[in-house]
Amino acid sequence: MSALTDSQEWKKLTQLRATWRGAYATKGRIAALFEQDPHRAERYTRVLGGLRLDLSKTHLDPETLDALLALAKARDVETWRDRMFAGESINLTEGRAVLHTALRAEQPPAQVAEVLTRIDSFVGRVRSGVWTGATGQRIRTIVNIGIGGSDLGPAMVCQALEPYGSPELKTRFVSNIDGTHLATALDRLDPATTLFVIASKTFTTQETLTNATSARAWLVAALGEAAVAKHFVAVSTNGSGVKQFGIDPANMFGFWDWVGGRYSLWSAIGLPIALQIGMENFRALLAGARAMDTHFRSAPLADNLPVLLALTGIWYRNFWNLPALAVLPYDQSLARLPAFLQQLDMESNGKSVDRDGNPVDYDTGPIVFGEPGTNGQHAFYQLIHQGTTVIPADFILVRRSHHPLGDGAHQRILLSHGIAQTEALLQGKHSLEPHRVFSGDRPTTTFALDELSPFTLGQLLALYEHKVFVQGVIWNINSFDQFGVELGKQLASTILAEIEGGARQPHDASTNALIDWSRDA
Ligand code: F6P
C-alpha cells in the first residue's frame, strides 16, 4: 500500500464515500442537501474579482469537505506550493524549477523583465507599422508555427480575446505536420505582409521545424532570401538552434527551462497574444493570473479556489472512481479551452508512477474533454445525462457577451441553456417511461465570469494551472515532466526511414502491413 492510500485521511474519505450512495448510504442526493441547507449555494461558492466558483452542485457537505481539506493538509500542499513559488527544483526527474508564476510576478526576475521590455518594443513597432516587411509594407498577418504548449495557449487566448485585437492585424496558428494545416493557413496570404513566429521551447520539434522550413521556402520563393530577417522571428530557449535555422538571434525572444511548455503562454510564447491584443492587454492577462497566484498563496485552504477545485476533482476521481472531466465553456470564444486544458491536465497528471518511481495504487489524472455549449448539448450531453458513466462537468459561463446580438437575446438564450443544464443534471426527472428517466444527482461545477477580459481569463487559466498542481501534489506524482510523449516520437523516426525506402526493422505484423501500405504516400 502506498503512503497515500494507507493514510488515515484517505481511509476516512473511503468510509465517507460509502455514506453517499450504495447499500450503506445515509446521505441524500445533492438536491436534498439544497433543501436541508438554505445557505448551501453561498456555502460552496467563492468569489475572486470577476470570477465566481460554485461547487454547491457537487457531493460536498461539511464533513466531506473537512476530510478533503485534511487530506490536502496531510499531503503538505502548502509546503509544496511554497517550494514551487520559491523556485526549488520540484520537477525532480528533469532537475528543474517550476516558475511560470515568476513570469507574471509584480516584480519579475531581471531576465523576465528584460524579455518583456523587448517584446513590448517589438509589439509596438509591428502594431504601429514601424516594423515593416522586406518590401516596406506593414505586417497584417501573424502566423505562429508551434505545437503543444507552443500553440495551444496562444491560440486559445487569441481566439478568446479576439475583440481586444486590432482589426489591422490577424493571427493564424499552424501546429500539425499535416501539410493541409500550413497550406490552408497560407491560403491567400500575401508574403509581403506576413510575419512568422516560430515558437518552440526546444527548437528541435520535428513538426515545428518542418512547418517552419516550408513556410520559409514559401516566403523566399516570393521575396528572396534576404527577406527572412524581416519576416521570421523565433521564440525559444535554444539560441543556437534558432541561429542554425537561419533566424537572426536579434529576432529571438527567449525563455528558460523552468517554464514548462504547457505553462508557457505567460512567457515569450505569448508573443502572438501580445501582437494581437497589444502589450497593455497582455499585461492585464498576466495581472489576472497574478491575482490568482496571490490568492493561491495566501487564502486559507477552505477558501482557496484552486485547492477546492482540486479536492472536488480528487473526491470524484479517487473515491467515486469517475474517469473523466467535461469542460463546457458557454462562450464560443473559449472554443479552444478544452484542448488547452487537455494538455495542461493530461500531460501533467497522466502518470502511473509516483515521484520515487513506484507504481501508484490509486487513479491519477482524468480524461478531459469538452466543447462549447450549446454545441455539446446536441452531441454528447446525452451520455452525461443518461449514460452509465457519471461525468463531472465544469460549466464556464460568461455574463457579458463579446457579441450581444439581437439586443442580447443570443446571450440570454445561451446562459439559459448553461444554467438549465446544471439544474437538469442536479435534479433529474422521474418518468414512468424508463427511456425518459433522468437519474440526476450528476455533479457540476460552475465558473461564472462577469466578462471574458484579459484579466478574468488570466485568473481562470491560473486557477486551472494550480488545480492541476494541487492534484499532482496529493497524488505524489511529478506533474512537470512528459516522458509519455517520447516513445511514439522515437518509433516514428524509425518508421519514417522505412516508409522512405530504408532498411526494414522488426515490427509486429500489423505495423509491417501499415508501413508497406504507406510506401505509396
Ligand atoms: O509533446 C511534447 C511536448 O514536449 C510538449 O510538452 C510541448 O509543449 C510540445 O512538445 C512542443 O515542444 P517545443 O515547444 O519544444 O516545440
Side-chain angles (χ1 to χ4, degrees):
M1 254 191 164
S2 66
L4 178 57
T5 51
D6 200 27
S7 68
Q8 61 183 52
E9 294 78 16
W10 193 269
K11 288 178 184 158
K12 168 80 183 166
L13 283 159
T14 308
Q15 283 165 10
L16 273 177
R17 164 66 185 88
T19 66
W20 278 93
R21 247 190 211 172
Y24 305 103
T26 51
K27 295 189 177 169
R29 293 159 58 92
I30 308 169
L33 301 180
F34 273 101
E35 284 162 23
Q36 287 157 18
D37 177 3
H39 301 294
R40 180 170 177 81
E42 306 98 88
R43 196 180 304 286
Y44 296 103
T45 297
R46 302 287 182 277
V47 180
L48 186 68
L51 169 65
R52 198 183 142 88
L53 180 68
D54 178 354
L55 295 158
S56 64
K57 290 186 178 109
T58 62
H59 296 88
L60 288 180
D61 70 348
E63 195 184 15
T64 307
L65 184 55
D66 282 352
L68 287 165
L69 290 166
L71 178 71
K73 255 284 174 269
R75 302 309 296 171
D76 284 334
V77 165
E78 291 152 297
T79 312
W80 279 98
R81 174 197 64 194
D82 295 344
R83 292 181 65 190
M84 174 172 74
F85 278 92
E88 283 187 36
S89 293
I90 60 166
N91 175 357
L92 288 170
T93 52
E94 297 180 308
R96 291 176 183 166
V98 175
L99 269 175
H100 47 279
T101 51
L103 301 165
R104 55 212 192 198
E106 184 94 61
Q107 303 282 335
Q111 51 188 343
V112 175
E114 193 231 303
V115 174
L116 270 174
T117 307
R118 286 189 55 225
I119 292 177
D120 198 343
S121 139
F122 181 68
V123 164
R125 278 180 291 152
V126 173
R127 284 171 63 90
S128 65
V130 170
W131 175 289
T132 61
T135 64
Q137 285 173 267
R138 64 189 291 173
I139 300 297
R140 298 285 179 201
T141 311
I142 308 294
V143 178
N144 188 83
I145 296 181
I147 196 165
S150 301
D151 166 72
L152 288 163
M156 178 268 297
V157 172
C158 282
Q159 185 176 13
L161 300 178
E162 225 254 347
Y164 291 81
S166 146
E168 312 267 293
L169 195 60
K170 294 289 174 202
T171 44
R172 296 186 184 188
F173 288 84
V174 176
S175 51
N176 203 331
I177 185 62
D178 182 344
T180 302
H181 206 178
L182 181 63
T184 50
L186 297 185
D187 187 33
R188 271 167 280 178
L189 279 192
D190 179 357
T193 60
T194 301
L195 176 72
F196 290 95
V197 176
I198 311 303
S200 175
K201 178 174 171 181
T202 55
F203 229 78
T204 57
T205 303
Q206 185 189 37
E207 292 93 324
T208 300
L209 295 191
T210 308
N211 277 325
T213 304
S214 298
R216 196 180 197 281
W218 175 84
L219 183 99
V220 169
L223 302 177
E225 189 66 37
V228 171
K230 298 296 279 178
H231 293 267
F232 274 77
V233 300
V235 180
S236 188
T237 60
N238 177 2
S240 56
V242 169
K243 199 166 169 202
Q244 206 179 329
F245 180 82
I247 295 178
D248 184 349
N251 293 342
M252 167 177 151
F253 300 88
F255 63 114
W256 309 274
D257 69 0
W258 41 264
V259 181
R262 51 196 174 273
Y263 300 88
S264 63
L265 73 90
W266 322 101
S267 72
I269 288 290
L271 179 64
I273 304 174
L275 283 164
Q276 185 187 289
I277 65 176
M279 207 56 197
E280 204 179 311
N281 284 320
F282 184 65
R283 287 190 192 275
L285 181 78
L286 300 184
R290 177 162 70 243
M292 187 56 70
D293 294 343
T294 306
H295 166 82
F296 179 47
R297 293 182 84 170
S298 57
L301 296 186
D303 289 319
N304 200 302
L305 273 65
V307 173
L308 292 171
L309 192 59
L311 290 174
T312 308
I314 297 266
W315 180 224
Y316 285 122
R317 186 75 188 100
N318 297 113
F319 299 96
W320 293 67
N321 298 322
L322 304 182
L325 172 70
V327 178
L328 310 170
Y330 276 69
D331 192 314
Q332 189 61 29
S333 307
L334 291 173
R336 293 297 284 160
L337 182 68
F340 169 78
L341 292 180
Q342 278 176 330
Q343 190 199 14
L344 178 64
D345 205 323
M346 295 169 81
E347 204 173 70
S348 296
N349 286 345
K351 310 282 163 70
S352 304
V353 296
D354 69 15
R355 282 198 193 90
D356 301 316
N358 304 310
V360 295
D361 59 354
Y362 41 85
D363 282 314
T364 59
I367 302 157
V368 178
F369 73 101
E371 275 290 319
T374 59
N375 290 2
Q377 292 177 199
H378 298 271
F380 56 81
Y381 281 32
Q382 163 64 37
L383 187 149
I384 299 183
H385 283 284
Q386 288 189 317
T388 51
T389 301
V390 171
I391 300 183
D394 286 356
F395 280 79
I396 299 164
L397 310 181
V398 180
R399 187 158 50 190
R400 276 194 287 283
S401 172
H402 285 155
H403 300 283
L405 294 190
D407 204 15
H410 284 249
Q411 183 64 4
R412 291 190 292 276
I413 296 171
L414 176 69
L415 289 176
S416 73
H417 278 289
I419 297 167
Q421 289 296 327
T422 70
E423 187 179 30
L425 288 163
L426 169 76
Q427 301 288 0
K429 186 167 173 266
H430 298 293
S431 172
L432 293 175
E433 291 177 67
H435 298 99
R436 295 183 189 273
V437 170
F438 289 74
S439 64
D441 207 35
R442 298 192 171 213
T444 63
T445 297
T446 306
F447 301 65
L449 276 63
D450 289 345
E451 60 179 353
L452 187 60
S453 66
F455 188 88
T456 59
L457 182 61
Q459 281 183 303
L460 179 71
L461 301 179
L463 168 57
Y464 272 113
E465 285 180 350
H466 295 322
K467 173 204 108 158
V468 167
F469 170 77
V470 170
Q471 292 186 334
V473 169
I474 291 175
W475 286 323
N476 189 29
I477 56 179
N478 180 7
S479 300
F480 300 103
D481 60 18
Q482 57 283 320
F483 297 115
V485 303
E486 295 303 329
L487 178 59
K489 284 189 205 173
Q490 286 158 16
L491 292 180
S493 93
T494 308
I495 290 174
L496 175 60
E498 294 174 72
I499 293 177
E500 289 181 338
R504 297 304 295 263
Q505 303 298 325
H507 299 281
D508 60 86
S510 161
T511 306
N512 269 326
L514 289 167
I515 294 170
D516 287 342
W517 169 84
S518 301
R519 284 181 146 188
D520 284 340

